[in-house]
């Protein structure tokens, strides 16, 4: 996927600062002076990429290929919970995970603990593991209209 400038702009306008990008070997160059870029020479799972970033909350985790509609980040910010995931469906375990998560400082701690315990693979699998450990992972279900394909 690509890291669209629109995603960086959307995160910045939603005051999700600082922005850190973990960039794998096949990703295009990042042209934004206000963000930190962590270069990695080999392909990474999402969990391994998260291990390279500083997971101090509050924070937002977004897949690079996301093209979000303007209302999504404010809706994510307004959804109560320590860990909130945007999904396309009604249930975290069975829904299509949209690749966007907001974590408070407490939720970021749950992410770090799961990673420290050896969790690997996708961010969706990581969230499912956190939920299975008894931590509430809240979901934001927007149905259609959460992407910005313009």
């Amino acid at each position: 996927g690509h890291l669209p400038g629109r995603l960086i702009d959307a995160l910045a306008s939603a005051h999700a600062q600082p922005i850190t990008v973990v960039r794998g070997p096949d990703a295009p160059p990042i042209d934004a002076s206000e963000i930190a870029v962590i270069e990695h020479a080999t392909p990474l799972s999402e969990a391994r990429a998260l291990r390279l970033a500083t997971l101090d909350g509050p924070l937002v985790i977004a897949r690079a290929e996301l093209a979000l509609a303007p209302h999504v980040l404010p809706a994510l910010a307004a959804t109560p919970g320590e860990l909130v995931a945007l999904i396309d469906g009604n249930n975290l375990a069975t829904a299509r995970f949209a690749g966007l998560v907001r974590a408070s400082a407490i939720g970021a701690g749950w992410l770090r603990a799961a990673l420290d315990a050896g969790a690997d693979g996708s961010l969706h699998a990581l969230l499912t593991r956190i939920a299975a450990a008894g931590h509430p992972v809240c979901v934001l279900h927007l149905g259609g209209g959460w992407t910005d394909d313009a």
Side-chain angles (χ1 to χ4, degrees), residues 23-123:
R23 184 178 170 273
D26 298 324
I30 309 295
D31 183 25
S33 59
E34 67 279 1
I35 66 173
V37 178
I38 299 170
E39 302 281 350
H40 200 271
T42 59
L44 296 166
S45 68
E46 289 173 332
R48 288 184 183 197
L50 288 174
R51 280 191 185 92
L52 296 175
T54 302
L55 295 180
D56 292 327
L59 56 88
V60 173
I61 300 167
R63 285 186 181 148
E65 68 271 11
L66 285 180
L68 299 172
H71 67 281
V72 173
L73 286 170
L76 187 73
T79 302
E82 304 296 344
L83 206 51
V84 181
L86 175 66
I87 63 169
D88 194 356
N90 294 318
N91 179 301
L92 178 65
T94 59
R96 186 175 138 246
F97 173 58
L100 184 68
V101 174
R102 179 186 56 76
S104 68
I106 292 170
W110 297 342
L111 286 165
R112 284 191 311 274
L115 291 167
D116 290 346
D120 201 3
S122 72
L123 185 53

